[in-house]
Amino acid sequence: MSLKIHYFPVPGRAEVARLCLSIGNIPYEDVIYTGATFGEAKPKFPFGQVPVLEFPDGKMLAQSGAIDRYTAKLAGLYPEDPIQAAFADQAVFLLNDFTDLFSSSYSLPLEEKIKARQDMLAGKGGEKLKLLEKLVASIGDKYLAGAKLSYADLALFVSFSTMICGQLDGIPKDLFKNYPALKAFRSRIATEPGVKAFYDKNSEGFRAAFKPDA
Ligand SMILES: N[C@@H](CCC(=O)N[C@@H](CS)C(=O)NCC(=O)O)C(=O)O
């Protein structure tokens, strides 16, 4: 019996954990839901939402932030040095400040969604992207926390790749044209051997944009 990740057939909030387990060579199984099968399964999840990580004994862990850190620790992708761990978390929390700005737009009708996202990118979202650009520029061609890849690099990579996939209404594929450090960082993390191996095997849908040259 291996770990199971319960989620939808998209990268979304499950992708960092999938990448961590894959890079760490830790066996896991994806349990994928459609709208209808999720409705049936919803009551069995701790907080009625996914992603959920199910342990071999049937225990279930919810909240992507907890799942990401746990799987990163299993895979050696959560820094052991408390200071580096804090810097990894700092980058992820700044990223969350940006992605949280999107959450209310998902349920809007198409035209309102596009407008809300464009306004957000021109306002508060743009301010967060500038902060992310500054942070990523400060590490040069290194990693966000210490001398090696961590879950923070993966979290930013997943989020940035999703943003430029061209399938999110109101978010242009060239979002990073004015953010050269973010663009270069995304491409660089895509070439990390474990990341590249994962997307060589998984390149459908949104994941076509998770390649180095996307
Ligand atoms: N804070 C939670 C949010 C989880 C969440 O919003 N999950 C969504 C999918 S991305 C969900 O399950 N939506 C269906 C529902 O709420 O019924 C996390 O990060 O795991």
Side-chain angles (χ1 to χ4, degrees), residues 7-8 13 38 42 48-51 62-65:
Y7 199 61
F8 298 113
R13 294 182 195 262
F38 174 72
K42 188 176 168 74
Q49 290 190 313
V50 284
Q63 290 293 344
S64 57

Side-chain angles (χ1 to χ4, degrees), residues 16 25 37 42 75 79 81 85 88 102 117 124 145 152 155 192 203:
V16 173
N25 288 316
T37 58
K42 188 176 168 74
D81 174 355
F102 283 87
R117 287 176 176 174
K124 285 205 167 104
E192 283 286 323
S203 57

Side-chain angles (χ1 to χ4, degrees), residues 144-164:
L144 285 162
K148 65 192 268 286
L149 185 74
S150 76
Y151 92 106
D153 301 297
L154 300 177
L156 269 67
F157 163 76
V158 165
S159 193
F160 296 164
S161 299
T162 305
M163 291 288 157
I164 59 151

